[in-house]
Amino acid sequence: MTAYERPSAPGSSIGPGSSGALGVDGRDTNGRDTDGHDAVVLAGGAARRLGGADKPGVHVGGRALLDRVLAACSGAVVTVVVAEPRPTGRPVEWAREDPPGAGPLAALDAGLRHTTAAYVVVLSADLPFLDGGTVERLLTALQEAGTEGVLLTDSGGRDQPLVAAYRSAALRRELAALRAEHGELTGLPLRRLTAALELTRITDPVASFDCDTWDDIAAARARIREHGHVLDEWITAVKDELGIDLDVDISVLLDLARDAAHGVARPAAPLTTFLVGYAAAQAKGGPEAVAEAARKATALALRWAAEAEVEADDGTAPPPTAPSGTSGGSSTDTGPGTNSGTGPGPSTAAPEARPDAG
């Protein structure tokens, strides 16, 4: 994977110390459009319960925890990761609290200074089951509820302020108030911030699950391999690894693979689905191009299978195939005097079918 950092347009970036205030036209005073939402991911914790391991880089389902979270918030206009820069699968901006290790409030303040949107998604970097649907649900609830923030709660009803969407102005207001009261944000807990906000809560034990211990890591790795999750997890991991940002109807491809395997031969399934993807890429199309190519290939596989069924029903068969190593001349008619290759005369029996390579 590649380490990315979004280049800043001249005069458009917000540097450390900028308030990111909004003008009357709905734009940041530095000129950046505030439509959409931004994301701040906190990834600089000490991970003491993991023995000081690099928690954002721990792999679950073949992907680093940080990359899993970045994929979930890929709809953000700007994504800021508060940590030392590292290779990531998606473009991000980097920020760091001062001093490093000053705690989550200081880290949030550092990340927020690089954002301009009216809404900001705030996430920790250790959420293996967070997905884009959950992020959208948080943002939708925030807009509909009219509160200052929407956060998830876990199975025990505990608030998870780092799986949340907030109004940026409310965060900046309360961070400024805390700084004025305490002189600095170092060491202050997140609850000092959230206690001052009007919040809406959504219970989601899965999306709010975070990995604080090695037991948590083991549980997450086991869950994604369960039957109901493994296929979606694998497809997502492959797309992430290959840099493919394309959502297609997986059921269509699975049906195609089934028809090709049953109607032709099992090895035809992966080869056919590969060719479908290649055809869609050649057409420079999106999900619709994949669906259309799959439809054509499925129709071909069904025609292929139908021909075999007709031949089986009426007793006819295709001309015999010459055994390997023989010349491919014209076929010999079979009749009452032909034999099966055990006596004089040319053998016309078709060779035994090749064992299924699948």
Side-chain angles (χ1 to χ4, degrees), residues 5 18 20 23 29 48 52 76 85-86 89 92 126 132 168 177-178 185 188 202 231 238 250 265 276 293-294 311 337:
E5 186 163 355
S18 169
T29 52
R48 293 183 180 87
R86 64 171 65 225
V92 301
D126 60 353
S168 301
L178 288 169
L185 300 175
L188 295 179
I202 299 174
L231 187 57
V238 171
I250 295 177
V276 163
E311 291 163 1

PDB file of all heavy atoms in Angstrom, residues 5 18 20 23 29 48 52 76 85-86 89 92 126 132 168 177-178 185 188 202 231 238 250 265 276 293-294 311 337:
ATOM      1  N   GLU A   5      -0.860  11.552   1.292  1.00  0.00           N
ATOM      2  CA  GLU A   5      -1.168  12.787   1.996  1.00  0.00           C
ATOM      3  C   GLU A   5      -1.772  13.731   0.987  1.00  0.00           C
ATOM      4  O   GLU A   5      -1.171  14.000  -0.054  1.00  0.00           O
ATOM      5  CB  GLU A   5       0.082  13.379   2.641  1.00  0.00           C
ATOM      6  CG  GLU A   5      -0.251  14.587   3.508  1.00  0.00           C
ATOM      7  CD  GLU A   5       0.864  14.948   4.471  1.00  0.00           C
ATOM      8  OE1 GLU A   5       1.846  14.209   4.536  1.00  0.00           O
ATOM      9  OE2 GLU A   5       0.739  15.979   5.144  1.00  0.00           O
ATOM     10  N   SER A  18      -5.881  27.455  13.130  1.00  0.00           N
ATOM     11  CA  SER A  18      -7.026  28.076  12.474  1.00  0.00           C
ATOM     12  C   SER A  18      -8.308  27.594  13.115  1.00  0.00           C
ATOM     13  O   SER A  18      -8.444  26.442  13.486  1.00  0.00           O
ATOM     14  CB  SER A  18      -7.028  27.731  10.981  1.00  0.00           C
ATOM     15  OG  SER A  18      -8.240  28.109  10.397  1.00  0.00           O
ATOM     16  N   GLY A  20     -11.261  27.577  11.588  1.00  0.00           N
ATOM     17  CA  GLY A  20     -12.166  26.970  10.619  1.00  0.00           C
ATOM     18  C   GLY A  20     -13.562  27.536  10.716  1.00  0.00           C
ATOM     19  O   GLY A  20     -14.546  26.850  10.501  1.00  0.00           O
ATOM     20  N   GLY A  23     -18.384  31.262   7.140  1.00  0.00           N
ATOM     21  CA  GLY A  23     -18.909  32.550   6.752  1.00  0.00           C
ATOM     22  C   GLY A  23     -20.403  32.477   6.527  1.00  0.00           C
ATOM     23  O   GLY A  23     -21.022  31.414   6.613  1.00  0.00           O
ATOM     24  N   THR A  29     -14.026  30.425   6.166  1.00  0.00           N
ATOM     25  CA  THR A  29     -13.454  31.745   5.921  1.00  0.00           C
ATOM     26  C   THR A  29     -12.160  31.662   5.133  1.00  0.00           C
ATOM     27  O   THR A  29     -11.707  32.660   4.591  1.00  0.00           O
ATOM     28  CB  THR A  29     -13.194  32.467   7.252  1.00  0.00           C
ATOM     29  OG1 THR A  29     -12.433  31.600   8.105  1.00  0.00           O
ATOM     30  CG2 THR A  29     -14.508  32.812   7.934  1.00  0.00           C
ATOM     31  N   ARG A  48      -1.700   0.297  25.669  1.00  0.00           N
ATOM     32  CA  ARG A  48      -1.055  -0.372  26.808  1.00  0.00           C
ATOM     33  C   ARG A  48      -1.586  -1.790  27.013  1.00  0.00           C
ATOM     34  O   ARG A  48      -0.837  -2.694  27.383  1.00  0.00           O
ATOM     35  CB  ARG A  48      -1.271   0.462  28.071  1.00  0.00           C
ATOM     36  CG  ARG A  48      -0.547   1.800  28.044  1.00  0.00           C
ATOM     37  CD  ARG A  48      -0.719   2.570  29.356  1.00  0.00           C
ATOM     38  NE  ARG A  48      -0.025   3.842  29.310  1.00  0.00           N
ATOM     39  CZ  ARG A  48      -0.563   4.966  28.830  1.00  0.00           C
ATOM     40  NH1 ARG A  48      -1.805   4.950  28.358  1.00  0.00           N
ATOM     41  NH2 ARG A  48       0.128   6.087  28.828  1.00  0.00           N
ATOM     42  N   GLY A  52       1.690  -2.289  24.202  1.00  0.00           N
ATOM     43  CA  GLY A  52       2.376  -1.262  23.441  1.00  0.00           C
ATOM     44  C   GLY A  52       2.491  -1.566  21.962  1.00  0.00           C
ATOM     45  O   GLY A  52       3.238  -0.893  21.241  1.00  0.00           O
ATOM     46  N   ALA A  76     -15.966  10.917   3.260  1.00  0.00           N
ATOM     47  CA  ALA A  76     -15.611  12.225   3.802  1.00  0.00           C
ATOM     48  C   ALA A  76     -14.881  13.066   2.758  1.00  0.00           C
ATOM     49  O   ALA A  76     -14.112  12.542   1.950  1.00  0.00           O
ATOM     50  CB  ALA A  76     -14.747  12.059   5.045  1.00  0.00           C
ATOM     51  N   PRO A  85       2.631   9.800  10.649  1.00  0.00           N
ATOM     52  CA  PRO A  85       2.309   9.289   9.313  1.00  0.00           C
ATOM     53  C   PRO A  85       2.789   7.862   9.106  1.00  0.00           C
ATOM     54  O   PRO A  85       3.822   7.445   9.631  1.00  0.00           O
ATOM     55  CB  PRO A  85       3.043  10.261   8.381  1.00  0.00           C
ATOM     56  CG  PRO A  85       3.147  11.523   9.170  1.00  0.00           C
ATOM     57  CD  PRO A  85       3.359  11.076  10.602  1.00  0.00           C
ATOM     58  N   ARG A  86       2.005   7.117   8.338  1.00  0.00           N
ATOM     59  CA  ARG A  86       2.293   5.727   8.033  1.00  0.00           C
ATOM     60  C   ARG A  86       1.649   5.396   6.694  1.00  0.00           C
ATOM     61  O   ARG A  86       0.814   6.153   6.197  1.00  0.00           O
ATOM     62  CB  ARG A  86       1.724   4.803   9.115  1.00  0.00           C
ATOM     63  CG  ARG A  86       0.187   4.872   9.176  1.00  0.00           C
ATOM     64  CD  ARG A  86      -0.418   3.816  10.070  1.00  0.00           C
ATOM     65  NE  ARG A  86      -0.033   4.009  11.444  1.00  0.00           N
ATOM     66  CZ  ARG A  86       0.365   3.023  12.236  1.00  0.00           C
ATOM     67  NH1 ARG A  86       0.396   1.784  11.762  1.00  0.00           N
ATOM     68  NH2 ARG A  86       0.690   3.240  13.487  1.00  0.00           N
ATOM     69  N   GLY A  89      -4.155   2.911   2.948  1.00  0.00           N
ATOM     70  CA  GLY A  89      -4.766   2.509   1.689  1.00  0.00           C
ATOM     71  C   GLY A  89      -5.559   3.610   1.020  1.00  0.00           C
ATOM     72  O   GLY A  89      -5.971   3.454  -0.125  1.00  0.00           O
ATOM     73  N   VAL A  92      -5.162  10.603   3.040  1.00  0.00           N
ATOM     74  CA  VAL A  92      -5.519  11.241   4.308  1.00  0.00           C
ATOM     75  C   VAL A  92      -4.620  12.457   4.521  1.00  0.00           C
ATOM     76  O   VAL A  92      -3.592  12.612   3.869  1.00  0.00           O
ATOM     77  CB  VAL A  92      -5.361  10.282   5.512  1.00  0.00           C
ATOM     78  CG1 VAL A  92      -6.239   9.055   5.353  1.00  0.00           C
ATOM     79  CG2 VAL A  92      -3.901   9.882   5.719  1.00  0.00           C
ATOM     80  N   ASP A 126      -9.596   1.572  15.880  1.00  0.00           N
ATOM     81  CA  ASP A 126      -9.604   0.160  16.275  1.00  0.00           C
ATOM     82  C   ASP A 126     -11.002  -0.443  16.192  1.00  0.00           C
ATOM     83  O   ASP A 126     -11.403  -1.227  17.050  1.00  0.00           O
ATOM     84  CB  ASP A 126      -9.045  -0.005  17.692  1.00  0.00           C
ATOM     85  CG  ASP A 126      -9.847   0.765  18.734  1.00  0.00           C
ATOM     86  OD1 ASP A 126     -10.753   1.539  18.353  1.00  0.00           O
ATOM     87  OD2 ASP A 126      -9.572   0.605  19.944  1.00  0.00           O
ATOM     88  N   GLY A 132     -19.346   1.743   6.034  1.00  0.00           N
ATOM     89  CA  GLY A 132     -19.877   2.983   5.507  1.00  0.00           C
ATOM     90  C   GLY A 132     -21.337   3.193   5.831  1.00  0.00           C
ATOM     91  O   GLY A 132     -21.792   4.329   6.009  1.00  0.00           O
ATOM     92  N   SER A 168     -19.569  20.385  13.821  1.00  0.00           N
ATOM     93  CA  SER A 168     -18.214  20.890  14.066  1.00  0.00           C
ATOM     94  C   SER A 168     -18.221  22.127  14.954  1.00  0.00           C
ATOM     95  O   SER A 168     -17.348  22.280  15.825  1.00  0.00           O
ATOM     96  CB  SER A 168     -17.536  21.214  12.738  1.00  0.00           C
ATOM     97  OG  SER A 168     -17.463  20.068  11.917  1.00  0.00           O
ATOM     98  N   ALA A 177     -14.012  26.249  25.303  1.00  0.00           N
ATOM     99  CA  ALA A 177     -14.420  26.476  26.685  1.00  0.00           C
ATOM    100  C   ALA A 177     -13.543  25.685  27.651  1.00  0.00           C
ATOM    101  O   ALA A 177     -13.141  26.200  28.709  1.00  0.00           O
ATOM    102  CB  ALA A 177     -15.889  26.095  26.857  1.00  0.00           C
ATOM    103  N   LEU A 178     -13.230  24.457  27.315  1.00  0.00           N
ATOM    104  CA  LEU A 178     -12.372  23.635  28.170  1.00  0.00           C
ATOM    105  C   LEU A 178     -10.956  24.204  28.234  1.00  0.00           C
ATOM    106  O   LEU A 178     -10.316  24.195  29.291  1.00  0.00           O
ATOM    107  CB  LEU A 178     -12.347  22.195  27.656  1.00  0.00           C
ATOM    108  CG  LEU A 178     -13.627  21.391  27.883  1.00  0.00           C
ATOM    109  CD1 LEU A 178     -13.586  20.077  27.107  1.00  0.00           C
ATOM    110  CD2 LEU A 178     -13.840  21.124  29.373  1.00  0.00           C
ATOM    111  N   LEU A 185      -5.634  21.258  27.024  1.00  0.00           N
ATOM    112  CA  LEU A 185      -6.500  20.081  26.914  1.00  0.00           C
ATOM    113  C   LEU A 185      -5.796  18.794  27.316  1.00  0.00           C
ATOM    114  O   LEU A 185      -6.427  17.740  27.399  1.00  0.00           O
ATOM    115  CB  LEU A 185      -7.006  19.946  25.471  1.00  0.00           C
ATOM    116  CG  LEU A 185      -7.824  21.126  24.946  1.00  0.00           C
ATOM    117  CD1 LEU A 185      -8.157  20.924  23.464  1.00  0.00           C
ATOM    118  CD2 LEU A 185      -9.100  21.298  25.759  1.00  0.00           C
ATOM    119  N   LEU A 188      -7.186  15.642  29.607  1.00  0.00           N
ATOM    120  CA  LEU A 188      -8.622  15.712  29.909  1.00  0.00           C
ATOM    121  C   LEU A 188      -9.362  14.570  29.207  1.00  0.00           C
ATOM    122  O   LEU A 188      -9.097  14.265  28.048  1.00  0.00           O
ATOM    123  CB  LEU A 188      -9.202  17.044  29.452  1.00  0.00           C
ATOM    124  CG  LEU A 188      -8.695  18.304  30.168  1.00  0.00           C
ATOM    125  CD1 LEU A 188      -9.356  19.546  29.591  1.00  0.00           C
ATOM    126  CD2 LEU A 188      -8.959  18.205  31.670  1.00  0.00           C
ATOM    127  N   ILE A 202     -27.464   5.896  19.632  1.00  0.00           N
ATOM    128  CA  ILE A 202     -27.920   4.739  18.863  1.00  0.00           C
ATOM    129  C   ILE A 202     -27.168   3.525  19.372  1.00  0.00           C
ATOM    130  O   ILE A 202     -25.931   3.536  19.426  1.00  0.00           O
ATOM    131  CB  ILE A 202     -27.656   4.909  17.354  1.00  0.00           C
ATOM    132  CG1 ILE A 202     -28.396   6.131  16.799  1.00  0.00           C
ATOM    133  CG2 ILE A 202     -28.060   3.650  16.598  1.00  0.00           C
ATOM    134  CD1 ILE A 202     -28.063   6.431  15.352  1.00  0.00           C
ATOM    135  N   LEU A 231     -17.653 -14.090   3.229  1.00  0.00           N
ATOM    136  CA  LEU A 231     -17.614 -13.717   1.821  1.00  0.00           C
ATOM    137  C   LEU A 231     -17.550 -12.200   1.649  1.00  0.00           C
ATOM    138  O   LEU A 231     -16.730 -11.678   0.890  1.00  0.00           O
ATOM    139  CB  LEU A 231     -18.827 -14.284   1.080  1.00  0.00           C
ATOM    140  CG  LEU A 231     -18.808 -14.092  -0.442  1.00  0.00           C
ATOM    141  CD1 LEU A 231     -17.562 -14.699  -1.049  1.00  0.00           C
ATOM    142  CD2 LEU A 231     -20.053 -14.691  -1.069  1.00  0.00           C
ATOM    143  N   VAL A 238     -10.273  -7.819  -0.761  1.00  0.00           N
ATOM    144  CA  VAL A 238      -9.660  -7.887  -2.095  1.00  0.00           C
ATOM    145  C   VAL A 238      -9.783  -6.539  -2.797  1.00  0.00           C
ATOM    146  O   VAL A 238      -8.809  -6.044  -3.397  1.00  0.00           O
ATOM    147  CB  VAL A 238     -10.315  -8.997  -2.938  1.00  0.00           C
ATOM    148  CG1 VAL A 238      -9.843  -8.922  -4.387  1.00  0.00           C
ATOM    149  CG2 VAL A 238      -9.979 -10.366  -2.359  1.00  0.00           C
ATOM    150  N   ILE A 250     -22.994  -8.994  -5.875  1.00  0.00           N
ATOM    151  CA  ILE A 250     -22.230 -10.234  -5.744  1.00  0.00           C
ATOM    152  C   ILE A 250     -23.087 -11.433  -6.101  1.00  0.00           C
ATOM    153  O   ILE A 250     -22.596 -12.411  -6.671  1.00  0.00           O
ATOM    154  CB  ILE A 250     -21.673 -10.359  -4.313  1.00  0.00           C
ATOM    155  CG1 ILE A 250     -20.659  -9.239  -4.036  1.00  0.00           C
ATOM    156  CG2 ILE A 250     -21.007 -11.719  -4.106  1.00  0.00           C
ATOM    157  CD1 ILE A 250     -20.125  -9.237  -2.626  1.00  0.00           C
ATOM    158  N   ALA A 265     -18.102 -26.721 -16.746  1.00  0.00           N
ATOM    159  CA  ALA A 265     -17.161 -27.461 -15.909  1.00  0.00           C
ATOM    160  C   ALA A 265     -16.776 -26.554 -14.763  1.00  0.00           C
ATOM    161  O   ALA A 265     -16.809 -25.326 -14.889  1.00  0.00           O
ATOM    162  CB  ALA A 265     -15.914 -27.860 -16.710  1.00  0.00           C
ATOM    163  N   VAL A 276     -15.648 -11.686 -17.245  1.00  0.00           N
ATOM    164  CA  VAL A 276     -16.705 -10.699 -17.073  1.00  0.00           C
ATOM    165  C   VAL A 276     -16.126  -9.392 -16.518  1.00  0.00           C
ATOM    166  O   VAL A 276     -16.424  -8.295 -16.999  1.00  0.00           O
ATOM    167  CB  VAL A 276     -17.811 -11.246 -16.150  1.00  0.00           C
ATOM    168  CG1 VAL A 276     -18.702 -10.118 -15.629  1.00  0.00           C
ATOM    169  CG2 VAL A 276     -18.653 -12.262 -16.901  1.00  0.00           C
ATOM    170  N   ALA A 293     -22.356  -7.711 -18.581  1.00  0.00           N
ATOM    171  CA  ALA A 293     -21.441  -8.773 -19.010  1.00  0.00           C
ATOM    172  C   ALA A 293     -21.805 -10.092 -18.339  1.00  0.00           C
ATOM    173  O   ALA A 293     -21.755 -11.161 -18.967  1.00  0.00           O
ATOM    174  CB  ALA A 293     -19.997  -8.382 -18.692  1.00  0.00           C
ATOM    175  N   ALA A 294     -22.184 -10.038 -17.076  1.00  0.00           N
ATOM    176  CA  ALA A 294     -22.588 -11.251 -16.363  1.00  0.00           C
ATOM    177  C   ALA A 294     -23.849 -11.840 -16.968  1.00  0.00           C
ATOM    178  O   ALA A 294     -23.991 -13.063 -17.079  1.00  0.00           O
ATOM    179  CB  ALA A 294     -22.794 -10.945 -14.881  1.00  0.00           C
ATOM    180  N   GLU A 311     -28.891 -33.359 -26.086  1.00  0.00           N
ATOM    181  CA  GLU A 311     -28.115 -34.494 -26.590  1.00  0.00           C
ATOM    182  C   GLU A 311     -28.333 -35.721 -25.729  1.00  0.00           C
ATOM    183  O   GLU A 311     -28.447 -36.848 -26.226  1.00  0.00           O
ATOM    184  CB  GLU A 311     -26.637 -34.123 -26.628  1.00  0.00           C
ATOM    185  CG  GLU A 311     -26.307 -33.080 -27.695  1.00  0.00           C
ATOM    186  CD  GLU A 311     -24.956 -32.420 -27.464  1.00  0.00           C
ATOM    187  OE1 GLU A 311     -24.285 -32.800 -26.482  1.00  0.00           O
ATOM    188  OE2 GLU A 311     -24.585 -31.531 -28.245  1.00  0.00           O
ATOM    189  N   GLY A 337     -20.325 -52.505 -37.893  1.00  0.00           N
ATOM    190  CA  GLY A 337     -19.083 -53.248 -37.919  1.00  0.00           C
ATOM    191  C   GLY A 337     -17.964 -52.631 -37.130  1.00  0.00           C
ATOM    192  O   GLY A 337     -16.875 -53.165 -37.096  1.00  0.00           O
TER     193      GLY A 337
END
